[in-house]
Amino acid sequence: GDCFDFSIVLCSLLIGVGYDAYCVSGFAPRFITTRNEARSKCPFLEKKARPPPAADDEDPDVKFTIPKKPPLESKHERQQEEKETEEVRQREEQAMRSDSDDDPSSDEDECMNKRIHCWVLLRKGQREVPEDIWIEPTTGRVYDMKSCPYIGIDLLWNHKNLWVNMQQVPAKDVKLELFNSRYFEYVMVEPESLADHHEGEGEGMTEA
C-alpha cells in the first residue's frame, strides 16, 4: 500500500482504541515521500546522558585547596581535528548519494511543494495524550507540531467528518480549530449539530 493506505489503517486502529485521530492529506518533502532516512538519527542509537561525576569528599580539616589548572589545549590541533571531522562527514554524505538524477539525498528537488502525501494527526485530550502530534505512518516517527517536516495541509478526515483547510500557511503554523470557519470548512453536518439546529427552530415556532 501507499501512504494513504498506511494512514487510514493506523488512524482506524487509533480511533478503535479510543484516541482522537485524523488522516491528513497535504504535501511533504522528498525524503518523507521516498522514506529516505539516510540523514535521520536512529532513535535507538542516541547517546544516553551520562550522570555528572561524583564530587570528591572534602576533608573538614583542610582549610583551603589549591585549584587545579585546566589542561593546556592547542588551538591548531583542535582546528585540525574539526577539519578532519568535517571532511569525514562530507565523504560519508557523498557516499550515501546515488548516481541517479532523482537523488533522494540531494537538497535540490524539481517537485518541491508538489509531492502529495498522507499522514496522521493525533489530538490531545483522549487517552492522556498531552499535546497534538503528527505521526508518519510509513516509518513510525513522531513529530511535534512546530518541528514537523511537512510542507502544507489540504484535508483532514476521520470517521465523523472531512475538513478542508482554509489557511495558506506551512503545516507547522496551521491552527487546528476544526469548527472555526476562518481556519477549516467541514463538509458534513454532524448529527449532534443537526439536532441542536432543529431544537432551535422548534423553540422559535413555539414562541411565535
Side-chain angles (χ1 to χ4, degrees):
D2 57 17
C3 58
F4 284 84
D5 298 325
F6 277 84
S7 297
I8 292 171
V9 170
L10 176 59
C11 188
S12 300
L13 291 173
L14 291 172
I15 292 173
V17 294
Y19 289 97
D20 187 15
Y22 303 77
C23 290
V24 185
S25 175
F27 301 92
R30 176 167 53 184
F31 81 92
I32 290 289
T33 59
T34 57
R35 289 187 295 172
N36 179 12
E37 298 195 284
R39 296 184 180 182
S40 301
K41 292 183 179 180
C42 177
F44 301 104
L45 298 180
E46 294 181 355
K47 295 182 179 179
K48 297 181 179 180
R50 296 181 179 178
D56 297 335
D57 295 335
E58 297 182 356
D59 190 349
D61 296 332
V62 179
K63 296 182 179 180
F64 65 92
T65 57
I66 300 176
K68 296 181 180 180
K69 293 183 178 180
L72 300 177
E73 294 183 0
S74 170
K75 292 184 178 179
H76 175 72
E77 291 181 356
R78 186 169 68 251
Q79 290 175 353
Q80 288 296 112
E81 291 178 357
E82 292 176 354
K83 183 179 179 181
E84 292 176 359
T85 303
E86 179 63 20
E87 290 177 352
V88 170
R89 187 191 67 78
Q90 291 180 358
R91 286 197 298 268
E92 291 177 349
E93 183 176 325
Q94 188 66 28
M96 290 190 300
R97 296 179 183 272
S98 66
D99 297 329
S100 64
D101 295 333
D102 188 23
D103 176 17
S105 298
S106 174
D107 293 326
E108 299 178 0
D109 185 8
E110 296 179 355
C111 298
M112 179 63 71
N113 300 333
K114 298 179 181 179
R115 296 179 180 270
I116 298 175
H117 192 61
C118 188
W119 61 98
V120 172
L121 166 64
L122 191 62
R123 301 298 304 270
K124 63 182 179 181
Q126 297 186 14
R127 295 295 300 267
E128 300 181 356
V129 177
E131 60 183 1
D132 297 339
I133 56 174
W134 306 114
I135 303 177
E136 175 52 46
T138 61
T139 60
R141 289 189 178 271
V142 176
Y143 301 98
D144 59 48
M145 302 301 294
K146 292 300 180 182
S147 63
C148 69
Y150 305 112
I151 297 173
I153 295 175
D154 281 342
L155 305 170
L156 278 79
W157 75 91
N158 60 8
H159 62 299
K160 293 182 179 180
N161 215 324
L162 183 145
W163 293 265
V164 180
N165 182 25
M166 308 301 292
Q167 306 165 75
Q168 301 297 322
V169 296
K172 62 184 181 66
D173 297 327
V174 168
K175 296 184 181 297
L176 296 172
E177 298 180 24
L178 299 184
F179 290 97
N180 187 333
S181 59
R182 291 179 55 192
Y183 305 128
F184 283 90
E185 286 286 352
Y186 57 86
V187 175
M188 294 170 285
V189 179
E190 295 187 358
E192 295 84 359
S193 302
L194 192 59
D196 294 340
H197 178 69
H198 287 319
E199 288 178 2
E201 289 183 347
E203 292 176 358
M205 293 176 62
T206 303
E207 293 177 358

